[in-house]
Amino acid sequence: MSTPPPSSPTAPRLATPADLKELVNLVREFCEADRHEFDEGRVRSALIPLLESDRHGLVWLVGRPAEGYAVVTWGYSLESGGADALLDEIYLRERGSGHGSELLRHILRDLEARGLKRIFLETERHNEAVRRFYARHGFEEESSIWMSRGF
């Protein structure tokens, strides 16, 4: 399946500040589907810098009106050999349409063109279907365990 031309209604496009309201609604749907807490204020304040510039990362949308989104943030590590990225979230309302694969291929091409060395992502332990999706796109499970701490 080839990537549609930019004028296609399903072609991935970078989100802008004008997309904030639509994005917040999509993030709410994602959180409900993946059993995450949703805090609208936290989501808005995290999205705004991503929509205003690419300093922290990028947000892509699929469809007009948007039917899905992906958030990629920047990192840097010795293990990666330099700049890397985190696929923080990806969500499509309609699974099985091919739009998720199209979006992910678009992101991978874009990140490679930007010179990034590696992309990481995290999945929920219970979500085997999404791990199969990522495996089809060349991602491999690692033995490391993510840990976090809030401030």
Side-chain angles (χ1 to χ4, degrees):
M1 179 199 253
S2 63
T3 302
S7 60
S8 166
T10 62
R13 63 181 173 88
L14 286 173
T16 70
D19 298 308
L20 180 62
K21 182 178 179 182
E22 199 169 22
L23 264 166
V24 168
N25 289 330
L26 286 167
V27 173
R28 176 179 292 134
E29 290 176 26
F30 167 77
C31 289
E32 289 171 4
D34 219 26
R35 299 182 240 164
H36 293 290
E37 175 188 337
F38 177 77
D39 178 324
E40 185 169 336
R42 185 184 69 221
V43 168
R44 282 180 174 278
S45 67
L47 280 171
I48 289 169
L50 291 169
L51 299 175
E52 292 179 338
S53 80
D54 65 357
R55 179 175 176 221
H56 301 291
L58 300 167
V59 180
W60 280 275
L61 290 173
V62 173
R64 289 183 193 265
E67 290 296 318
Y69 74 96
V71 176
V72 173
T73 59
W74 310 136
Y76 193 95
S77 81
L78 298 178
E79 179 184 344
S80 295
D84 59 26
L86 171 69
L87 178 56
D88 187 42
E89 292 182 6
I90 187 169
Y91 171 73
L92 281 292
R93 284 183 175 143
E94 185 181 332
R95 294 186 179 179
S97 65
H99 298 313
S101 290
E102 176 184 339
L103 176 57
L104 187 54
R105 284 191 301 267
H106 178 84
I107 290 168
L108 296 175
R109 282 192 304 269
D110 183 84
L111 297 182
E112 186 174 15
R114 291 172 186 270
L116 276 81
K117 306 294 184 193
R118 186 171 212 74
I119 183 169
F120 294 93
L121 59 84
E122 171 191 19
T123 67
E124 300 297 327
R125 195 174 307 274
H126 65 84
N127 200 338
E128 292 180 32
V130 79
R131 283 194 297 282
R132 286 191 301 271
F133 168 78
Y134 290 125
R136 286 194 307 271
H137 292 278
F139 286 82
E140 298 174 351
E141 285 189 39
E142 296 185 350
S143 62
S144 59
I145 296 175
W146 287 39
M147 297 175 71
S148 69
R149 178 186 183 274
F151 295 104

